[in-house]
């Protein structure tokens, strides 16, 4: 669910503030950084979850998180030019498995047999 906030225009159908959120972070040497994601259309978005169970169901049990209010998360995202806050996203791409270098190499093409060269495709 995306929450949009426009200071000059309040929409009655906008939900109330989400309250304290579980926010995914990237740990650093001395601090943590809020993770930023992209919407399906490619816009950058801050993300928060209403329960730790929803966070782990979407991002996995190994994902570090911190608790932040919606207003604090918005204020952290604003200097980065991020205006969208997504709460409880459920549709995500699966985690990419690591590939070996040989798996990334292009597959070898099969050379056509002599009898296949010059033949037109036939209807089935």
């Amino acid at each position: 669910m995306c929450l949009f906030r426009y200071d000059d225009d309040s929409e009655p159908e906008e939900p109330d503030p989400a309250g304290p959120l579980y926010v995914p972070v990237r740990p650093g040497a001395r601090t943590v950084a809020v993770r930023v994601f992209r919407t399906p259309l490619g816009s950058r978005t801050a993300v928060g979850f209403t329960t730790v169970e929803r966070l782990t169901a979407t991002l996995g049990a190994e994902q570090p998180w911190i608790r932040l209010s919606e207003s604090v998360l918005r204020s952290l995202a604003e200097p980065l030019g991020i205006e969208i806050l997504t709460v409880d996203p459920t549709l995500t791409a699966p985690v990419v498995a690591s590939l070996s270098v040989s798996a990334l190499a292009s597959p070898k093409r099969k050379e056509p047999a002599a009898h296949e060269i010059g033949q037109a495709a036939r209807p089935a």
Side-chain angles (χ1 to χ4, degrees), residues 8 10 27 57-59 67-68 70 75 96 99 106 109:
D8 62 339
S10 176
T58 304
L59 299 175
R67 292 275 284 179
L68 295 175
E70 176 187 349
S75 67
V96 177
L99 298 173
S106 61
R109 297 182 66 196

Side-chain angles (χ1 to χ4, degrees), residues 11-110:
E11 293 292 327
E13 64 269 358
E14 283 185 6
D16 292 330
L21 297 170
Y22 296 87
V23 178
V25 295
R26 290 179 301 146
R30 296 183 183 165
T31 62
V32 294
V34 172
R35 285 188 62 191
V36 175
F37 295 83
R38 292 207 178 263
T39 67
L41 297 177
S43 300
R44 293 179 355 153
T45 180
V47 172
F49 294 86
T50 55
T51 66
V52 73
E53 291 81 15
R54 289 182 178 183
L55 181 141
T56 57
T58 304
L59 299 175
E62 300 299 317
Q63 174 61 57
W65 53 268
I66 59 173
R67 292 275 284 179
L68 295 175
S69 69
E70 176 187 349
S71 61
V72 170
L73 180 55
R74 286 184 184 280
S75 67
L76 290 172
E78 184 180 10
L80 303 173
I82 299 169
E83 298 176 356
I84 301 171
L85 170 61
T86 305
V87 177
D88 290 328
T90 55
L91 301 176
T92 60
V95 176
V96 177
S98 60
L99 298 173
S100 65
V101 174
S102 62
L104 296 175
S106 61
K108 293 185 179 181
R109 297 182 66 196
K110 177 188 162 209

Side-chain angles (χ1 to χ4, degrees), residues 109-120:
R109 297 182 66 196
K110 177 188 162 209
E111 294 296 323
H115 69 277
E116 294 175 330
I117 298 175
Q119 292 183 347

